[in-house]
Short mmCIF file of all heavy atoms in Angstrom, two decimals:
data_model
loop_
_atom_site.label_atom_id
_atom_site.label_comp_id
_atom_site.label_asym_id
_atom_site.label_seq_id
_atom_site.Cartn_x
_atom_site.Cartn_y
_atom_site.Cartn_z
N GLN A 63 36.84 -102.84 121.51
CA GLN A 63 38.01 -102.75 122.23
C GLN A 63 37.87 -102.26 123.61
O GLN A 63 38.42 -102.73 124.53
CB GLN A 63 38.98 -101.85 121.51
CG GLN A 63 39.45 -102.39 120.11
CD GLN A 63 40.18 -101.29 119.35
OE1 GLN A 63 40.04 -100.09 119.49
NE2 GLN A 63 41.08 -101.82 118.38
N ARG A 64 37.03 -101.29 123.76
CA ARG A 64 36.79 -100.79 125.05
C ARG A 64 35.96 -101.73 126.01
O ARG A 64 36.36 -101.84 127.18
CB ARG A 64 35.86 -99.48 124.91
CG ARG A 64 36.48 -98.41 124.15
CD ARG A 64 37.14 -97.40 124.47
NE ARG A 64 38.10 -96.60 123.78
CZ ARG A 64 38.76 -96.74 122.66
NH1 ARG A 64 38.55 -97.86 122.01
NH2 ARG A 64 39.60 -95.97 122.20
N ARG A 65 35.08 -102.49 125.44
CA ARG A 65 34.34 -103.45 126.28
C ARG A 65 35.34 -104.52 126.76
O ARG A 65 35.24 -105.08 127.85
CB ARG A 65 33.21 -104.03 125.54
CG ARG A 65 32.08 -103.07 125.42
CD ARG A 65 30.85 -103.63 124.91
NE ARG A 65 29.82 -102.63 124.96
CZ ARG A 65 28.90 -102.42 124.00
NH1 ARG A 65 28.88 -103.22 123.00
NH2 ARG A 65 27.96 -101.47 124.16
N GLU A 66 36.35 -104.95 125.86
CA GLU A 66 37.33 -105.89 126.37
C GLU A 66 38.22 -105.32 127.45
O GLU A 66 38.52 -105.98 128.47
CB GLU A 66 38.21 -106.29 125.16
CG GLU A 66 37.50 -107.13 124.14
CD GLU A 66 38.24 -107.35 122.81
OE1 GLU A 66 39.33 -106.76 122.71
OE2 GLU A 66 37.77 -108.12 121.94
N SER A 67 38.52 -104.05 127.24
CA SER A 67 39.33 -103.41 128.35
C SER A 67 38.55 -103.24 129.70
O SER A 67 39.19 -103.47 130.69
CB SER A 67 39.78 -101.99 127.83
OG SER A 67 40.57 -102.06 126.74
N ILE A 68 37.30 -103.02 129.60
CA ILE A 68 36.47 -102.88 130.72
C ILE A 68 36.51 -104.19 131.54
O ILE A 68 36.66 -104.18 132.72
CB ILE A 68 34.99 -102.53 130.37
CG1 ILE A 68 34.95 -101.03 129.88
CG2 ILE A 68 34.00 -102.70 131.57
CD1 ILE A 68 33.68 -100.65 129.24
N ALA A 69 36.36 -105.30 130.82
CA ALA A 69 36.36 -106.62 131.43
C ALA A 69 37.68 -106.86 132.15
O ALA A 69 37.69 -107.37 133.25
CB ALA A 69 36.08 -107.70 130.46
N LEU A 70 38.73 -106.50 131.45
CA LEU A 70 40.11 -106.76 132.09
C LEU A 70 40.32 -105.91 133.22
O LEU A 70 40.83 -106.24 134.32
CB LEU A 70 41.18 -106.47 131.03
CG LEU A 70 41.29 -107.59 129.87
CD1 LEU A 70 42.27 -107.10 128.74
CD2 LEU A 70 41.61 -108.92 130.45
N TYR A 71 39.89 -104.62 133.22
CA TYR A 71 40.11 -103.70 134.27
C TYR A 71 39.27 -104.16 135.47
O TYR A 71 39.75 -104.03 136.63
CB TYR A 71 39.67 -102.28 133.91
CG TYR A 71 40.63 -101.51 133.00
CD1 TYR A 71 40.22 -100.72 132.01
CD2 TYR A 71 42.04 -101.70 133.07
CE1 TYR A 71 41.08 -100.08 131.17
CE2 TYR A 71 42.95 -101.11 132.25
CZ TYR A 71 42.46 -100.30 131.30
OH TYR A 71 43.32 -99.62 130.52
N GLU A 72 38.02 -104.62 135.25
CA GLU A 72 37.24 -105.04 136.32
C GLU A 72 37.88 -106.32 137.00
O GLU A 72 37.73 -106.53 138.22
CB GLU A 72 35.77 -105.30 135.89
CG GLU A 72 35.10 -104.01 135.65
CD GLU A 72 33.65 -104.09 135.11
OE1 GLU A 72 33.35 -105.16 134.57
OE2 GLU A 72 32.89 -103.07 135.11
N GLN A 73 38.39 -107.17 136.20
CA GLN A 73 39.02 -108.35 136.78
C GLN A 73 40.23 -108.01 137.56
O GLN A 73 40.50 -108.60 138.62
CB GLN A 73 39.49 -109.35 135.62
CG GLN A 73 38.40 -109.99 134.91
CD GLN A 73 38.89 -110.92 133.76
OE1 GLN A 73 40.05 -110.85 133.42
NE2 GLN A 73 37.98 -111.56 133.12
N GLY A 74 40.90 -107.02 137.17
CA GLY A 74 42.09 -106.56 137.91
C GLY A 74 41.83 -105.58 139.03
O GLY A 74 42.71 -105.05 139.70
N GLY A 75 40.53 -105.29 139.26
CA GLY A 75 40.21 -104.43 140.41
C GLY A 75 40.44 -102.98 140.14
O GLY A 75 40.69 -102.13 141.08
N ALA A 80 37.96 -98.79 134.46
CA ALA A 80 36.81 -99.32 133.82
C ALA A 80 35.66 -98.30 133.61
O ALA A 80 35.08 -98.21 132.56
CB ALA A 80 36.25 -100.48 134.64
N GLU A 83 36.64 -96.07 130.59
CA GLU A 83 36.34 -96.75 129.34
C GLU A 83 34.84 -96.79 129.05
O GLU A 83 34.38 -96.59 127.92
CB GLU A 83 36.87 -98.20 129.39
CG GLU A 83 38.36 -98.33 129.51
CD GLU A 83 39.05 -97.92 128.18
OE1 GLU A 83 38.51 -98.21 127.05
OE2 GLU A 83 40.06 -97.38 128.27
N LYS A 84 33.97 -96.93 130.20
CA LYS A 84 32.55 -97.06 129.98
C LYS A 84 32.09 -95.59 129.50
O LYS A 84 31.10 -95.50 128.64
CB LYS A 84 31.83 -97.39 131.29
CG LYS A 84 31.99 -98.84 131.66
CD LYS A 84 31.31 -99.14 132.98
CE LYS A 84 31.54 -100.64 133.41
NZ LYS A 84 31.00 -100.83 134.77
#
Side-chain angles (χ1 to χ4, degrees):
Q63 290 169 338
R64 300 261 156 347
R65 288 193 174 135
E66 290 170 356
S67 296
I68 289 168
L70 291 173
Y71 288 143
E72 287 175 345
Q73 286 175 359
E83 294 287 325
K84 286 178 186 175

